[in-house]
Amino acid sequence: MSARAFLSSAIVTAVCITCKAFLNSGLCSVKVNGLQILKDALRSRQGVLTVCNHISTLDDPMTWGVLPARWYLSSRTTRWALGASEVIFTNPVFSAFFSLGQTLETFRGKGIYQPAVDTAIQKLNEGRWVHLYSESKVNQPDTYFRDKQGVAHLPRLKWGVGRILMEVNTTPVVIPMWISGFDQLMPEGRAFPYKYLPRIGARLTVTFGEPVPAHELKKALSLKKPPRRNGTTKARSGVEQVIAPSVRKEVTAVIHRHVEGLGRSISGKLLTDTSENL
């Protein structure tokens, strides 16, 4: 094992063990659903892509405290995530820490053709696990759009997930996830210093849904695709500029439906755990 790989394993293990200790401390409660689905997917040795709602700054890494501790010792069973440059890669120390923690620096506003997305595609091609918060920012449930029937809707997902699934060599196992209660653990808008401290007594759930059916992804990807460019950031051909956006949009819509549907089955029509859902 190289020195970098050793440091990476040590950081991932230390952070996840700390999160597990908090979740088991009695300061909050946590319910986990469908963990066996993720276990089975990781045993398959093909790439695994999890896509989740994003409701607090603690979602990652706190969510991964629910995983078996032995998983933290292997990069195969710990996620690669995309993290916003302006939020967590703000100085050399943080940049080194999060990079070693299997987080890929992502520049919001610079589109889907950037190195972090290229690397995510590469990791899936290697049979690794990549995790996305495809809203690309924290959206707490009280900010969700509600339609005329009062039903809340998850904000639209960014098209990066569409590009990833278009360009991987083999379609990975795609698992929708839904977390709830983390917005109560770390609410937005609190004053200093409380905004940096988790609240005590939150009720958390972490749910892994059934994989997105392969036939749905195949149908969304069925438009003729231009030649793959091996995930590089080179300029795309004129054909791709016409076809690719439609494919990415449809693929992303499929993922959105499954993540939102899972959320509705857990958190009701408002996508939040309140008495209004009853």
Side-chain angles (χ1 to χ4, degrees), residues 16-49:
C16 290
I17 288 294
T18 300
C19 293
K20 180 177 284 292
F22 178 81
L23 294 178
N24 293 333
S25 68
L27 298 175
C28 65
S29 65
V30 60
K31 181 179 180 182
V32 184
N33 306 303
L35 182 57
Q36 188 63 44
I37 294 170
L38 179 62
K39 289 181 177 180
D40 291 343
L42 291 173
R43 290 194 190 105
S44 73
R45 309 305 296 179
Q46 68 186 101
V48 175
L49 179 66

mmCIF file of all heavy atoms in Angstrom, residues 16-49:
data_model
loop_
_atom_site.group_PDB
_atom_site.id
_atom_site.type_symbol
_atom_site.label_atom_id
_atom_site.label_comp_id
_atom_site.label_asym_id
_atom_site.label_seq_id
_atom_site.Cartn_x
_atom_site.Cartn_y
_atom_site.Cartn_z
ATOM 1 N N CYS A 16 -15.298 8.280 9.593
ATOM 2 C CA CYS A 16 -16.499 7.447 9.652
ATOM 3 C C CYS A 16 -16.712 6.835 11.038
ATOM 4 O O CYS A 16 -17.856 6.725 11.502
ATOM 5 C CB CYS A 16 -16.442 6.369 8.587
ATOM 6 S SG CYS A 16 -16.612 7.000 6.898
ATOM 7 N N ILE A 17 -15.640 6.450 11.702
ATOM 8 C CA ILE A 17 -15.766 5.931 13.072
ATOM 9 C C ILE A 17 -16.296 7.024 13.998
ATOM 10 O O ILE A 17 -17.129 6.772 14.886
ATOM 11 C CB ILE A 17 -14.407 5.404 13.579
ATOM 12 C CG1 ILE A 17 -14.046 4.091 12.869
ATOM 13 C CG2 ILE A 17 -14.430 5.200 15.091
ATOM 14 C CD1 ILE A 17 -14.957 2.926 13.193
ATOM 15 N N THR A 18 -15.832 8.263 13.808
ATOM 16 C CA THR A 18 -16.337 9.387 14.608
ATOM 17 C C THR A 18 -17.829 9.578 14.375
ATOM 18 O O THR A 18 -18.604 9.774 15.319
ATOM 19 C CB THR A 18 -15.579 10.681 14.250
ATOM 20 O OG1 THR A 18 -14.189 10.492 14.522
ATOM 21 C CG2 THR A 18 -16.108 11.855 15.054
ATOM 22 N N CYS A 19 -18.254 9.501 13.103
ATOM 23 C CA CYS A 19 -19.673 9.647 12.788
ATOM 24 C C CYS A 19 -20.484 8.496 13.380
ATOM 25 O O CYS A 19 -21.580 8.704 13.915
ATOM 26 C CB CYS A 19 -19.865 9.716 11.278
ATOM 27 S SG CYS A 19 -19.179 11.197 10.523
ATOM 28 N N LYS A 20 -19.950 7.291 13.294
ATOM 29 C CA LYS A 20 -20.639 6.130 13.866
ATOM 30 C C LYS A 20 -20.786 6.291 15.381
ATOM 31 O O LYS A 20 -21.841 5.979 15.952
ATOM 32 C CB LYS A 20 -19.885 4.838 13.528
ATOM 33 C CG LYS A 20 -20.536 3.581 14.074
ATOM 34 C CD LYS A 20 -19.811 2.322 13.650
ATOM 35 C CE LYS A 20 -20.111 1.968 12.219
ATOM 36 N NZ LYS A 20 -21.532 1.534 12.027
ATOM 37 N N ALA A 21 -19.736 6.792 16.021
ATOM 38 C CA ALA A 21 -19.792 6.993 17.470
ATOM 39 C C ALA A 21 -20.877 7.998 17.841
ATOM 40 O O ALA A 21 -21.616 7.805 18.818
ATOM 41 C CB ALA A 21 -18.427 7.474 17.977
ATOM 42 N N PHE A 22 -21.006 9.070 17.050
ATOM 43 C CA PHE A 22 -22.051 10.061 17.328
ATOM 44 C C PHE A 22 -23.431 9.437 17.146
ATOM 45 O O PHE A 22 -24.328 9.622 17.985
ATOM 46 C CB PHE A 22 -21.899 11.268 16.411
ATOM 47 C CG PHE A 22 -22.986 12.303 16.608
ATOM 48 C CD1 PHE A 22 -22.913 13.219 17.646
ATOM 49 C CD2 PHE A 22 -24.097 12.336 15.769
ATOM 50 C CE1 PHE A 22 -23.923 14.152 17.846
ATOM 51 C CE2 PHE A 22 -25.106 13.264 15.954
ATOM 52 C CZ PHE A 22 -25.021 14.177 16.992
ATOM 53 N N LEU A 23 -23.623 8.707 16.047
ATOM 54 C CA LEU A 23 -24.930 8.110 15.785
ATOM 55 C C LEU A 23 -25.317 7.091 16.851
ATOM 56 O O LEU A 23 -26.506 6.869 17.104
ATOM 57 C CB LEU A 23 -24.933 7.441 14.411
ATOM 58 C CG LEU A 23 -24.792 8.370 13.199
ATOM 59 C CD1 LEU A 23 -24.772 7.555 11.909
ATOM 60 C CD2 LEU A 23 -25.904 9.411 13.151
ATOM 61 N N ASN A 24 -24.320 6.469 17.484
ATOM 62 C CA ASN A 24 -24.587 5.463 18.520
ATOM 63 C C ASN A 24 -24.538 6.029 19.940
ATOM 64 O O ASN A 24 -24.661 5.278 20.904
ATOM 65 C CB ASN A 24 -23.582 4.316 18.408
ATOM 66 C CG ASN A 24 -23.757 3.516 17.136
ATOM 67 O OD1 ASN A 24 -24.852 3.453 16.586
ATOM 68 N ND2 ASN A 24 -22.685 2.904 16.648
ATOM 69 N N SER A 25 -24.364 7.335 20.042
ATOM 70 C CA SER A 25 -24.153 7.955 21.357
ATOM 71 C C SER A 25 -25.431 8.178 22.143
ATOM 72 O O SER A 25 -25.387 8.461 23.339
ATOM 73 C CB SER A 25 -23.453 9.307 21.171
ATOM 74 O OG SER A 25 -24.324 10.233 20.519
ATOM 75 N N GLY A 26 -26.572 8.092 21.488
ATOM 76 C CA GLY A 26 -27.833 8.413 22.146
ATOM 77 C C GLY A 26 -28.210 9.868 21.998
ATOM 78 O O GLY A 26 -29.297 10.275 22.443
ATOM 79 N N LEU A 27 -27.361 10.673 21.385
ATOM 80 C CA LEU A 27 -27.663 12.089 21.183
ATOM 81 C C LEU A 27 -28.646 12.303 20.032
ATOM 82 O O LEU A 27 -29.189 13.389 19.853
ATOM 83 C CB LEU A 27 -26.371 12.868 20.913
ATOM 84 C CG LEU A 27 -25.350 12.853 22.056
ATOM 85 C CD1 LEU A 27 -24.071 13.557 21.637
ATOM 86 C CD2 LEU A 27 -25.941 13.506 23.304
ATOM 87 N N CYS A 28 -28.848 11.262 19.244
ATOM 88 C CA CYS A 28 -29.849 11.270 18.181
ATOM 89 C C CYS A 28 -30.283 9.830 17.978
ATOM 90 O O CYS A 28 -29.688 8.901 18.540
ATOM 91 C CB CYS A 28 -29.277 11.859 16.889
ATOM 92 S SG CYS A 28 -27.941 10.861 16.172
ATOM 93 N N SER A 29 -31.321 9.632 17.200
ATOM 94 C CA SER A 29 -31.731 8.273 16.842
ATOM 95 C C SER A 29 -31.596 8.119 15.334
ATOM 96 O O SER A 29 -31.720 9.085 14.590
ATOM 97 C CB SER A 29 -33.174 8.009 17.277
ATOM 98 O OG SER A 29 -34.076 8.844 16.562
ATOM 99 N N VAL A 30 -31.325 6.913 14.887
ATOM 100 C CA VAL A 30 -31.157 6.691 13.453
ATOM 101 C C VAL A 30 -31.770 5.349 13.072
ATOM 102 O O VAL A 30 -31.609 4.354 13.776
ATOM 103 C CB VAL A 30 -29.662 6.750 13.047
ATOM 104 C CG1 VAL A 30 -28.851 5.693 13.778
ATOM 105 C CG2 VAL A 30 -29.492 6.606 11.533
ATOM 106 N N LYS A 31 -32.514 5.365 11.983
ATOM 107 C CA LYS A 31 -33.113 4.159 11.434
ATOM 108 C C LYS A 31 -32.572 3.958 10.027
ATOM 109 O O LYS A 31 -32.553 4.893 9.225
ATOM 110 C CB LYS A 31 -34.644 4.282 11.393
ATOM 111 C CG LYS A 31 -35.340 3.053 10.845
ATOM 112 C CD LYS A 31 -36.858 3.238 10.857
ATOM 113 C CE LYS A 31 -37.558 1.995 10.308
ATOM 114 N NZ LYS A 31 -39.034 2.188 10.283
ATOM 115 N N VAL A 32 -32.123 2.751 9.733
ATOM 116 C CA VAL A 32 -31.537 2.440 8.428
ATOM 117 C C VAL A 32 -32.423 1.431 7.711
ATOM 118 O O VAL A 32 -32.798 0.402 8.286
ATOM 119 C CB VAL A 32 -30.109 1.875 8.583
ATOM 120 C CG1 VAL A 32 -29.477 1.650 7.207
ATOM 121 C CG2 VAL A 32 -29.249 2.811 9.419
ATOM 122 N N ASN A 33 -32.760 1.737 6.478
ATOM 123 C CA ASN A 33 -33.576 0.844 5.651
ATOM 124 C C ASN A 33 -32.807 0.452 4.391
ATOM 125 O O ASN A 33 -32.171 1.300 3.763
ATOM 126 C CB ASN A 33 -34.873 1.546 5.227
ATOM 127 C CG ASN A 33 -35.666 2.104 6.387
ATOM 128 O OD1 ASN A 33 -36.031 1.376 7.302
ATOM 129 N ND2 ASN A 33 -35.937 3.405 6.360
ATOM 130 N N GLY A 34 -32.874 -0.796 4.022
ATOM 131 C CA GLY A 34 -32.355 -1.232 2.739
ATOM 132 C C GLY A 34 -30.851 -1.325 2.619
ATOM 133 O O GLY A 34 -30.328 -1.377 1.500
ATOM 134 N N LEU A 35 -30.131 -1.389 3.728
ATOM 135 C CA LEU A 35 -28.670 -1.459 3.649
ATOM 136 C C LEU A 35 -28.217 -2.699 2.877
ATOM 137 O O LEU A 35 -27.188 -2.672 2.192
ATOM 138 C CB LEU A 35 -28.061 -1.455 5.049
ATOM 139 C CG LEU A 35 -26.530 -1.486 5.130
ATOM 140 C CD1 LEU A 35 -25.908 -0.323 4.375
ATOM 141 C CD2 LEU A 35 -26.066 -1.487 6.592
ATOM 142 N N GLN A 36 -28.993 -3.764 2.958
ATOM 143 C CA GLN A 36 -28.626 -4.988 2.243
ATOM 144 C C GLN A 36 -28.557 -4.752 0.733
ATOM 145 O O GLN A 36 -27.784 -5.406 0.024
ATOM 146 C CB GLN A 36 -29.641 -6.095 2.550
ATOM 147 C CG GLN A 36 -29.248 -7.471 2.010
ATOM 148 C CD GLN A 36 -27.960 -7.992 2.629
ATOM 149 O OE1 GLN A 36 -27.751 -7.896 3.838
ATOM 150 N NE2 GLN A 36 -27.080 -8.545 1.796
ATOM 151 N N ILE A 37 -29.351 -3.805 0.237
ATOM 152 C CA ILE A 37 -29.334 -3.485 -1.198
ATOM 153 C C ILE A 37 -27.959 -2.972 -1.600
ATOM 154 O O ILE A 37 -27.398 -3.383 -2.626
ATOM 155 C CB ILE A 37 -30.431 -2.445 -1.521
ATOM 156 C CG1 ILE A 37 -31.812 -3.044 -1.289
ATOM 157 C CG2 ILE A 37 -30.281 -1.930 -2.959
ATOM 158 C CD1 ILE A 37 -32.953 -2.036 -1.335
ATOM 159 N N LEU A 38 -27.396 -2.078 -0.784
ATOM 160 C CA LEU A 38 -26.059 -1.561 -1.079
ATOM 161 C C LEU A 38 -25.012 -2.664 -0.923
ATOM 162 O O LEU A 38 -24.090 -2.772 -1.749
ATOM 163 C CB LEU A 38 -25.726 -0.391 -0.158
ATOM 164 C CG LEU A 38 -24.340 0.235 -0.358
ATOM 165 C CD1 LEU A 38 -24.198 0.822 -1.757
ATOM 166 C CD2 LEU A 38 -24.071 1.309 0.702
ATOM 167 N N LYS A 39 -25.148 -3.488 0.111
ATOM 168 C CA LYS A 39 -24.201 -4.592 0.317
ATOM 169 C C LYS A 39 -24.159 -5.499 -0.905
ATOM 170 O O LYS A 39 -23.087 -5.867 -1.401
ATOM 171 C CB LYS A 39 -24.591 -5.405 1.557
ATOM 172 C CG LYS A 39 -24.366 -4.703 2.879
ATOM 173 C CD LYS A 39 -24.763 -5.627 4.034
ATOM 174 C CE LYS A 39 -24.491 -4.993 5.377
ATOM 175 N NZ LYS A 39 -24.868 -5.882 6.513
ATOM 176 N N ASP A 40 -25.342 -5.863 -1.399
ATOM 177 C CA ASP A 40 -25.415 -6.762 -2.551
ATOM 178 C C ASP A 40 -24.788 -6.117 -3.785
ATOM 179 O O ASP A 40 -24.088 -6.783 -4.560
ATOM 180 C CB ASP A 40 -26.866 -7.142 -2.843
ATOM 181 C CG ASP A 40 -27.473 -8.035 -1.767
ATOM 182 O OD1 ASP A 40 -26.709 -8.618 -0.971
ATOM 183 O OD2 ASP A 40 -28.711 -8.127 -1.718
ATOM 184 N N ALA A 41 -25.030 -4.825 -3.964
ATOM 185 C CA ALA A 41 -24.478 -4.129 -5.127
ATOM 186 C C ALA A 41 -22.962 -4.088 -5.073
ATOM 187 O O ALA A 41 -22.280 -4.316 -6.084
ATOM 188 C CB ALA A 41 -25.050 -2.708 -5.210
ATOM 189 N N LEU A 42 -22.403 -3.819 -3.906
ATOM 190 C CA LEU A 42 -20.952 -3.751 -3.781
ATOM 191 C C LEU A 42 -20.309 -5.123 -3.942
ATOM 192 O O LEU A 42 -19.170 -5.227 -4.407
ATOM 193 C CB LEU A 42 -20.568 -3.132 -2.433
ATOM 194 C CG LEU A 42 -20.895 -1.640 -2.288
ATOM 195 C CD1 LEU A 42 -20.626 -1.173 -0.862
ATOM 196 C CD2 LEU A 42 -20.085 -0.807 -3.277
ATOM 197 N N ARG A 43 -21.025 -6.174 -3.588
ATOM 198 C CA ARG A 43 -20.498 -7.530 -3.788
ATOM 199 C C ARG A 43 -20.492 -7.921 -5.258
ATOM 200 O O ARG A 43 -19.796 -8.851 -5.651
ATOM 201 C CB ARG A 43 -21.332 -8.541 -3.000
ATOM 202 C CG ARG A 43 -21.162 -8.464 -1.490
ATOM 203 C CD ARG A 43 -21.747 -9.714 -0.833
ATOM 204 N NE ARG A 43 -21.812 -9.570 0.609
ATOM 205 C CZ ARG A 43 -22.940 -9.336 1.287
ATOM 206 N NH1 ARG A 43 -24.083 -9.225 0.647
ATOM 207 N NH2 ARG A 43 -22.925 -9.209 2.599
ATOM 208 N N SER A 44 -21.276 -7.233 -6.078
ATOM 209 C CA SER A 44 -21.390 -7.601 -7.481
ATOM 210 C C SER A 44 -20.133 -7.295 -8.272
ATOM 211 O O SER A 44 -19.974 -7.772 -9.391
ATOM 212 C CB SER A 44 -22.572 -6.852 -8.117
ATOM 213 O OG SER A 44 -22.256 -5.473 -8.305
ATOM 214 N N ARG A 45 -19.288 -6.458 -7.730
ATOM 215 C CA ARG A 45 -18.012 -6.068 -8.346
ATOM 216 C C ARG A 45 -18.173 -5.154 -9.547
ATOM 217 O O ARG A 45 -17.184 -4.809 -10.199
ATOM 218 C CB ARG A 45 -17.176 -7.296 -8.757
ATOM 219 C CG ARG A 45 -16.975 -8.341 -7.678
ATOM 220 C CD ARG A 45 -16.379 -7.778 -6.421
ATOM 221 N NE ARG A 45 -15.024 -7.250 -6.617
ATOM 222 C CZ ARG A 45 -14.303 -6.680 -5.645
ATOM 223 N NH1 ARG A 45 -14.818 -6.543 -4.432
ATOM 224 N NH2 ARG A 45 -13.085 -6.245 -5.900
ATOM 225 N N GLN A 46 -19.404 -4.733 -9.868
ATOM 226 C CA GLN A 46 -19.545 -3.724 -10.905
ATOM 227 C C GLN A 46 -19.652 -2.355 -10.246
ATOM 228 O O GLN A 46 -19.766 -2.245 -9.021
ATOM 229 C CB GLN A 46 -20.764 -4.007 -11.787
ATOM 230 C CG GLN A 46 -22.110 -3.846 -11.115
ATOM 231 C CD GLN A 46 -23.255 -4.277 -12.016
ATOM 232 O OE1 GLN A 46 -23.797 -5.370 -11.878
ATOM 233 N NE2 GLN A 46 -23.633 -3.424 -12.954
ATOM 234 N N GLY A 47 -19.582 -1.318 -11.056
ATOM 235 C CA GLY A 47 -19.671 0.014 -10.484
ATOM 236 C C GLY A 47 -21.004 0.237 -9.790
ATOM 237 O O GLY A 47 -22.031 -0.331 -10.181
ATOM 238 N N VAL A 48 -20.986 1.070 -8.748
ATOM 239 C CA VAL A 48 -22.196 1.400 -7.993
ATOM 240 C C VAL A 48 -22.314 2.922 -7.930
ATOM 241 O O VAL A 48 -21.355 3.610 -7.563
ATOM 242 C CB VAL A 48 -22.152 0.820 -6.563
ATOM 243 C CG1 VAL A 48 -23.368 1.270 -5.760
ATOM 244 C CG2 VAL A 48 -22.069 -0.702 -6.604
ATOM 245 N N LEU A 49 -23.482 3.426 -8.294
ATOM 246 C CA LEU A 49 -23.759 4.862 -8.236
ATOM 247 C C LEU A 49 -24.947 5.079 -7.315
ATOM 248 O O LEU A 49 -26.046 4.583 -7.585
ATOM 249 C CB LEU A 49 -24.063 5.406 -9.628
ATOM 250 C CG LEU A 49 -24.389 6.900 -9.716
ATOM 251 C CD1 LEU A 49 -23.182 7.751 -9.336
ATOM 252 C CD2 LEU A 49 -24.868 7.266 -11.123
#
